[in-house]
Amino acid sequence: MLKFLNRDRLSYAVFFIAIAIIGLSVENYYYVQLLTFIGINTILALGLNMLMGYAGQISLGHAAFYGLGAYTTAVLTVHYGFSPWLALPCAILLSMLVAFLVGLPTLKLSGYYLGMGTLGFGMIVHIVFREWSSMTGGSSGFIGIPPLEIGPVSFSQIRNFFYLVWLTVLISFIVSKRLIHSRIGRALRAIHDSENAARAMGINTRNMKLEIFVFSAGLSALAGFFYAHLVSFISPGTFSFIVSIKIVTMVVIGGMASVWGSLLGASLLTMLPEWLHAFSEFEMVVYGLILMLVMVLLPQGLTRGLLDIYERTRSKKDQP
Amino acid sequence: MLQELLQYLFSGITNGAIYGVIAVGFSMLYSSTELINFAHGEFVMLGALGLVSLWGGLGIPLPVAFLLVVIGVAVVGFLFERLAIRTVRKPNPIVLVIITVGASIFLRGIGMLTWGKDAYSVPPFSDHDPIDLAGAKLLSQSIWIVGIALFFVILLHLFFKKTLTGKAMIACAISKKAAWLTGIPSERMVLLAFFLSTGMGAVAGIIIAPITMCSYDMGTMLGLKGFCAAMLGGLGSLWGSILGGFILGILESLGVGFFSSSMKDAIAFFLLLLILYVRPGGIIMAKDIKRF
Amino acid sequence: MMLSRLSKKLILLMTFLAVGGFIFACPAFTTETYKIGGIFSVTGPASFLGDPEKKSMEMMIDQINDAGGIDGHLLEGVIYDTEGDPQRSVNNVTKLINKDNVIAIVGPSRTPTTLAVIPFAERVQIPLISCAAGITIVDPVKKWVFKTAQNDALAVCSVYQHMKDNGIKKIGIITVTNAFGESGKNQLKQHAGDFGIEIVEEESFGAKDTDMTPQLTKIRKVQPDAIVCWGTNPGPAVVAKNIKQLEINMPLYQSHGVASPKFIELAGEAAEGIYLPTGKILVADLLPDTDPQKKILMEYQKNFEETYGQSVSGFGGYAYDAMMMLERALPGTNGDLKKLRDNIENIKGLVGISGTFNFTPEDHNGLAPDAFVMVKIENGTWKLVE
């Protein structure tokens, strides 16, 4: 019994209950919507965290996959009359296919050169979104993406969308954790520590990196799918270089190599601008300062950092 | 045809020189700290707007304003290293990178508060008519830009090759510990690298100010282009950075000239990727010493 | 041991819960005041629009309150910054509706942000008066959405009419690669035939580009009769400078996107001789006294310049007009949204900054083609072109 209730499963259960409680108790639509955006960003950050935190490969172009997911579902549902639920696998598969093709040559690069390679890819995709206006609506954006529906349940009701997104977050967490604890996960951590040593141990590092890159792109596309159907409008600006950097920031601020870190990072970076409204003109200055301060004070990220603080206070208490 | 081609080249070389100077800043910092400073574009912005205020606003003579701005911005870079970068315990490169991202937003905010949201322009350094070469117009400011860019790069080259401090910096770049063992104050060298790198950023901002419009948000794009140029040339290589800058600038303007102006960035980035695939360490990639 | 690890996880979850708890509970109460929401891109790339819009809206609210409010209700403005970002605009709109309980929303400033928030305003049925220009905002007509900015098509037609009168047949266009430039490009292409004009070269530039000489060289090669540049500051100023530097002697037409004194300041000498369409605000003092807008324009200009100590641009007028509509539509509604909407739709002959508004159920922009005038820049100032 106790074995069945291992800590992962217990935390999932607590997480599930937390979703239910928040979903039932938060009255104001504004907060429900904000929490839904946090969920979408968590999926996004989780995708990149798998790549950066576990495999140690940086990507400065992840907004491209986010955008591919959003634009694919938008084009398929509006121009070709697909049901969104049919467009979802198409969006994810297309994003994964692109990741595979791009990853093949790009993942041979390492360190900042990999950053540069993914950045260039992200820029190109962004320009395609902007210039292919017959398909994507160009800079003015793509309007009229239909809301999600399952039978009688309409997800244009933001509360329903909240449950949908957060249950997806939970499933993504479980899948990611599974992956991390599998043979692939162990191999990835070996690559993270030393790629040469990993190769010497007989790990096919190229395939492993490619697999996680593709997985990560799939998660980003999933986030893009949700974004498109929640806002029902997309424009290239939402998937620009700045956004790629923001996703990286979420991962690092939250804590690399931690699925819960993605959650914390995404929460902080989504909430911060809303909290900082009061600063009006000073918002940017304060925002920048907070980013710097968090990193200076908690260089391991929020997850590790908060745990450290917790442990320190506890050990103090233990000493009489 | 020749007229157009020349005009594209002039434009490409002018922009390329600016990208090159920005790239040198990236590259120099990388070789001593293994850090990519995402706030570098914001130092370019500070340089440009600093010139707007000192030369355009207060009417301080250009050479004096030039020096004051470069030193002023370098001091900001110095403070940045001291207050933000140095204070991190157990630094991990990616954490430092995120700190520079925070710094870039912070500096942009400061820029907006100081100079407002509007753009500014300053006149060219000298008031000569454009030079006519086979019908193509070469601006006097372009000559200034390329000249000043090369001047500073040569200066840096001499600094690294001929002076003791410069050699000490190279030593630090190759191995911090070994340099420290031979008695080189490596921490001070890092500080110096920040000082020089942000100073170069200011130089780029100053020389670009007359040909474009300066505003608090001009840095992001320039920083990005400079970063690409540095990667293209080979991180850590002085001449590689300049070369990368020229290649990027010329690719862009030829992309406009012979393909499409809306796709010019896509063309430039596509070729960049191809070059990186062929030479995954940049064009100039020293075999054993990847640094200056 | 296991328990302690468990509690660590729990701590994390509690943090998350605390975040959730911290942000929810916030009491919503209604007072005697009418709350009006404003969402403008006060910072970010379109701050040249959002900043004067915010100021104009605040100024108008103060004016109305000084005059005793509407039906005894004072107005309260709740203004948020979108930074020109669709996601933040959507959050802002939801916040205005659900947390601030506003009765009408003015803004957003840009076309993409407006398009993003329209479904959210339509869903809860709240009047939204956008300050953006894009024609897709009111075409097709959305029941709850109005806009005050002139359609780009009007500006394009003013330019083309002037060209036709001056015998210009072939043009080269250079547009910025954002929503404003794209809309301009589409309108330019769409209406060219109506005026017997042919677009012989199409170029574009990035909003942050530093040098446009390659594009202009390419345009020069095909020798058009004139060049049209469609963008917002500072890019078009660089275009103007580059044209001068390349010694291209062709008439240059700019868009209303640069219609502010800032443009002349930025382009300096290179601004001389440029034609552009603009709302009448820039040339208010040059208008004949018979112009119905003259009075309100002079008044707005005086108030704005006195209150904020900066020169007026046409952009703040979009929010000012929106507030004038609310001032006209609010009395007698007692805060009822449906009545308010109907009143806005019935507005006729409202003389505002951007023109005279006549709304109908089919037209939620309501401006006549005379909303624009053509001006020429001469000796560092605007001159009305007949």
Side-chain angles (χ1 to χ4, degrees):
Chain A
M1 184 65 198
L2 217 86
K3 206 175 173 192
F4 175 74
L5 266 177
N6 65 26
R7 61 197 179 91
D8 268 351
R9 283 196 183 139
L10 200 70
S11 49
Y12 298 145
V14 174
F15 189 64
F16 183 79
I17 295 164
I19 295 171
I21 293 175
I22 291 174
L24 288 172
S25 64
V26 177
E27 287 280 332
N28 198 315
Y29 283 171
Y30 164 62
Y31 296 120
V32 181
Q33 182 177 315
L34 217 52
L35 287 166
T36 312
F37 275 123
I38 291 181
I40 292 174
N41 286 337
T42 303
I43 300 175
L44 202 53
L46 178 68
L48 187 60
N49 207 339
M50 296 298 286
L51 185 69
M52 272 177 67
Y54 292 102
Q57 308 296 312
I58 193 168
S59 165
L60 298 180
H62 244 53
F65 299 117
Y66 185 33
L68 274 175
Y71 271 103
T72 309
T73 181
V75 168
L76 288 181
T77 51
V78 175
H79 292 333
Y80 297 101
F82 276 46
S83 141
W85 302 112
L86 194 63
L88 173 64
C90 299
I92 293 178
L93 284 178
L94 179 76
S95 197
M96 288 172 116
L97 179 70
V98 172
F100 176 76
L101 293 177
V102 170
L104 223 44
T106 311
L107 286 169
K108 280 184 196 153
L109 305 171
S110 62
Y112 287 119
Y113 290 94
L114 178 61
M116 176 67 231
T118 47
L119 186 156
F121 161 71
M123 296 293 277
I124 292 172
V125 171
H126 178 239
I127 293 170
V128 170
F129 289 155
R130 199 185 68 203
E131 294 301 326
W132 195 7
S133 44
S134 60
M135 265 299 166
T136 63
S139 319
S140 311
F142 195 118
I143 48 172
I145 304 165
L148 296 177
E149 269 169 5
I150 303 179
V153 185
S154 165
F155 292 100
S156 62
Q157 247 289 343
I158 184 70
R159 200 174 298 280
N160 291 341
F161 210 107
F162 166 88
Y163 289 124
L164 177 69
V165 165
W166 279 98
L167 287 179
T168 315
V169 171
L170 180 60
I171 295 167
S172 316
F173 274 7
I174 297 172
V175 173
S176 302
K177 276 265 183 187
R178 284 259 153 159
L179 198 66
I180 294 158
H181 292 311
S182 71
R183 207 182 73 85
I184 298 174
R186 285 191 295 276
L188 285 175
R189 267 166 287 161
I191 293 174
H192 182 262
D193 292 339
S194 162
E195 196 170 331
N196 285 334
R199 202 176 299 137
M201 297 297 290
I203 297 170
N204 186 339
T205 56
R206 206 182 110 207
N207 281 2
M208 287 292 170
K209 284 197 285 183
L210 204 54
E211 271 166 36
I212 199 72
F213 190 62
V214 168
F215 176 75
S216 162
L219 273 183
S220 306
L222 180 63
F225 170 82
F226 283 132
Y227 179 88
H229 288 286
L230 173 59
V231 180
S232 87
F233 167 86
I234 46 176
S235 61
T238 310
F239 312 107
S240 66
F241 164 69
I242 309 284
V243 179
S244 295
I245 297 291
K246 199 169 153 189
I247 308 172
V248 175
T249 312
M250 282 179 198
V251 171
V252 180
I253 286 255
M256 289 206 287
S258 151
V259 291
W260 304 104
S262 313
L263 176 64
L264 281 180
S267 309
L268 183 73
L269 261 79
T270 315
M271 295 305 303
L272 210 49
E274 300 294 322
W275 285 332
L276 298 183
H277 262 314
F279 289 95
S280 64
E281 302 274 293
F282 290 86
E283 188 192 309
M284 261 205 279
V285 174
V286 178
Y287 186 89
L289 267 182
I290 291 179
L291 278 195
M292 286 198 279
L293 274 180
V294 171
M295 287 285 64
V296 168
L297 299 176
L298 307 170
Q300 310 289 315
L302 284 173
T303 329
R304 192 67 247 163
L306 290 179
L307 284 178
D308 280 351
I309 292 172
Y310 167 75
E311 273 163 14
R312 233 174 292 149
T313 44
R314 233 176 69 114
S315 61
K316 252 182 220 154
K317 252 186 234 155
D318 287 349
Q319 287 160 6
Chain B
M1 191 60 226
L2 178 69
Q3 177 192 356
E4 273 92 40
L5 184 65
L6 270 179
Q7 196 70 60
Y8 299 145
L9 284 179
F10 289 161
S11 164
I13 289 170
T14 311
N15 278 328
I18 292 161
Y19 297 156
V21 175
I22 302 173
V24 167
F26 271 112
S27 209
M28 209 155 49
L29 196 65
Y30 175 79
S31 57
S32 14
T33 57
E34 304 212 344
L35 168 65
I36 289 291
N37 180 6
F38 272 94
H40 195 65
E42 269 55 45
F43 288 99
V44 177
M45 175 271 288
L46 287 180
L49 286 173
L51 188 78
V52 166
S53 288
L54 291 190
W55 187 43
L58 297 177
I60 295 171
L62 182 60
V64 184
F66 195 118
L67 263 181
L68 283 179
V69 170
V70 172
I71 293 172
V73 173
V75 168
V76 176
F78 183 91
L79 289 176
F80 172 48
E81 200 274 345
R82 263 290 137 101
L83 298 178
I85 300 291
R86 181 71 65 85
T87 44
V88 185
R89 290 163 296 148
K90 296 179 271 174
N92 170 350
I94 187 71
V95 169
L96 295 181
V97 167
I98 298 300
I99 290 181
T100 67
V101 170
S104 80
I105 299 171
F106 174 75
L107 288 174
R108 222 178 306 143
I110 294 285
M112 189 180 88
L113 291 174
T114 319
W115 285 281
K117 295 166 201 157
D118 281 327
Y120 297 88
S121 71
V122 289
F125 290 170
S126 66
D127 227 354
H128 299 294
D129 283 336
I131 301 165
D132 205 309
L133 278 174
K137 303 278 182 293
L138 178 59
L139 300 182
S140 60
Q141 186 63 29
S142 298
I143 301 172
W144 277 113
I145 288 173
V146 176
I148 292 174
L150 289 179
F151 171 75
F152 274 97
V153 176
I154 290 170
L155 210 65
L156 279 178
H157 177 82
L158 291 178
F159 170 73
F160 285 120
K161 291 285 182 264
K162 302 286 176 202
T163 68
L164 197 59
T165 322
K167 286 177 181 167
M169 270 183 84
I170 297 182
C172 274
I174 295 166
S175 164
K176 217 181 228 174
K177 269 203 187 118
W180 183 74
L181 281 174
T182 59
I184 297 171
S186 58
E187 296 225 318
R188 219 184 293 160
M189 292 299 137
V190 169
L191 208 55
L192 187 63
F194 261 91
F195 195 79
L196 288 176
S197 154
T198 50
M200 280 305 271
V203 169
I206 290 171
I207 56 178
I208 198 179
I211 66 161
T212 186
M213 304 294 152
C214 316
S215 61
Y216 75 95
D217 56 353
M218 68 188 287
T220 316
M221 204 60 198
L222 286 171
L224 187 63
K225 293 280 170 66
F227 172 62
C228 296
M231 302 306 287
L232 183 62
L235 258 188
S237 154
L238 185 64
W239 293 103
S241 302
I242 273 286
L243 187 69
F246 281 124
I247 291 177
L248 182 62
I250 292 171
L251 276 183
E252 270 184 9
S253 74
L254 291 184
V256 172
F258 297 109
F259 296 96
S260 134
S261 47
S262 52
M263 297 297 283
K264 74 173 160 94
D265 284 334
I267 296 162
F269 278 111
F270 184 68
L271 291 173
L272 266 180
L273 288 185
L274 287 189
I275 294 173
L276 273 187
Y277 293 154
V278 180
R279 292 193 63 89
I283 294 171
I284 295 190
M285 180 180 48
K287 271 184 205 108
D288 35 11
I289 304 165
K290 281 201 209 152
R291 312 284 160 76
F292 271 98
Chain C
M1 188 57 208
M2 205 191 91
L3 248 174
S4 85
R5 274 192 193 157
L6 221 162
S7 49
K8 272 188 241 164
K9 278 277 137 61
L10 278 175
I11 288 283
L12 277 180
L13 284 166
M14 295 306 280
T15 327
F16 173 62
L17 273 174
V19 171
F22 178 74
I23 54 170
F24 98 87
C26 206
F29 54 89
T30 44
T31 55
E32 279 296 298
T33 55
Y34 284 152
K35 282 188 170 183
I36 313 286
I39 37 174
F40 307 115
S41 50
V42 185
T43 58
S47 62
F48 70 98
L49 291 171
D51 192 60
E53 280 164 359
K54 172 171 181 269
K55 287 174 173 162
S56 300
M57 177 168 167
E58 284 168 345
M59 192 172 87
M60 186 69 176
I61 286 177
D62 287 345
Q63 271 178 29
I64 294 174
N65 286 345
D66 288 345
I70 291 168
D71 293 347
H73 298 271
L74 292 181
L75 295 190
E76 184 189 338
V78 186
I79 299 178
Y80 294 130
D81 179 9
T82 66
E83 295 173 16
D85 173 40
Q87 189 181 331
R88 286 204 66 182
S89 311
V90 165
N91 279 338
N92 287 338
V93 162
T94 317
K95 193 173 180 185
L96 285 173
I97 294 170
N98 294 300
K99 188 149 171 265
D100 302 311
N101 297 307
V102 297
I103 56 168
I105 295 169
V106 178
S109 315
R110 312 177 73 193
T111 306
T113 44
T114 305
L115 292 174
V117 304
I118 283 176
F120 289 76
E122 286 271 293
R123 209 174 293 152
V124 296
Q125 309 202 324
I126 186 167
L128 178 90
I129 309 179
S130 167
C131 298
I135 187 141
T136 32
I137 296 168
V138 289
D139 179 29
V141 169
K142 284 116 194 143
K143 196 175 172 202
W144 294 84
V145 181
F146 302 85
K147 84 183 179 88
T148 56
Q150 307 94 333
N151 285 336
D152 292 332
L154 295 183
V156 167
C157 291
S158 307
V159 169
Y160 277 167
Q161 189 60 47
H162 186 265
M163 286 180 169
K164 199 178 169 193
D165 296 345
N166 289 285
I168 290 169
K169 293 253 181 297
K170 288 191 300 176
I171 58 168
I173 63 172
I174 176 165
T175 56
V176 67
T177 54
N178 62 21
F180 181 80
E182 190 183 72
S183 163
K185 184 172 79 182
N186 292 339
Q187 298 297 332
L188 282 166
K189 280 157 86 171
Q190 196 184 328
H191 293 281
D194 306 346
F195 293 85
I197 287 168
E198 189 194 350
I199 297 172
V200 289
E201 184 71 45
E202 247 178 70
E203 293 296 324
S204 66
F205 60 90
K208 288 281 152 217
D209 281 4
T210 50
D211 180 31
M212 285 66 156
T213 48
Q215 287 95 326
L216 292 169
T217 307
K218 228 174 146 186
I219 291 180
R220 181 176 61 182
K221 202 165 89 177
V222 297
Q223 287 295 329
D225 300 330
I227 299 174
V228 181
C229 168
W230 213 266
T232 52
N233 281 331
V238 180
V239 170
K241 272 189 166 182
N242 287 163
I243 285 183
K244 182 114 192 298
Q245 286 155 355
L246 292 176
E247 292 167 10
I248 300 177
N249 292 315
M250 292 169 201
L252 172 62
Y253 288 81
Q254 294 276 3
S255 71
H256 54 303
V258 297
S260 71
K262 192 76 204 168
F263 174 72
I264 301 184
E265 186 194 321
L266 286 178
E269 273 176 46
E272 290 296 308
I274 288 175
Y275 294 99
L276 63 140
T278 163
K280 292 177 183 167
I281 181 75
L282 282 186
V283 286
D285 45 344
L286 302 177
L287 291 173
D289 287 336
T290 52
D291 194 294
Q293 277 180 268
K294 177 146 185 168
K295 189 169 151 276
I296 177 102
L297 289 173
M298 296 297 280
E299 194 183 297
Y300 170 63
Q301 185 172 16
K302 187 170 142 276
N303 284 343
F304 191 89
E305 284 172 3
E306 270 173 14
T307 315
Y308 298 109
Q310 65 184 74
S311 55
V312 75
S313 74
F315 310 123
Y318 301 147
Y320 196 81
D321 287 346
M323 286 308 294
M324 280 176 64
M325 287 171 193
L326 290 175
E327 188 188 20
R328 172 87 70 99
L330 269 172
T333 58
N334 212 8
D336 182 74
L337 298 183
K338 199 156 170 6
K339 271 190 205 156
L340 178 62
R341 189 210 82 89
D342 293 344
N343 283 353
I344 298 176
E345 197 169 66
N346 286 324
I347 285 177
K348 295 275 182 299
L350 176 83
V351 181
I353 306 299
S354 307
T356 305
F357 293 90
N358 287 302
F359 285 133
T360 65
E362 292 79 38
D363 184 2
H364 279 193
N365 185 211
L367 284 171
D370 66 349
F372 278 109
V373 289
M374 287 297 292
V375 296
K376 187 181 184 188
I377 300 172
E378 265 179 24
N379 301 322
T381 184
W382 317 99
K383 194 177 151 271
L384 205 55
V385 175
E386 295 307 319

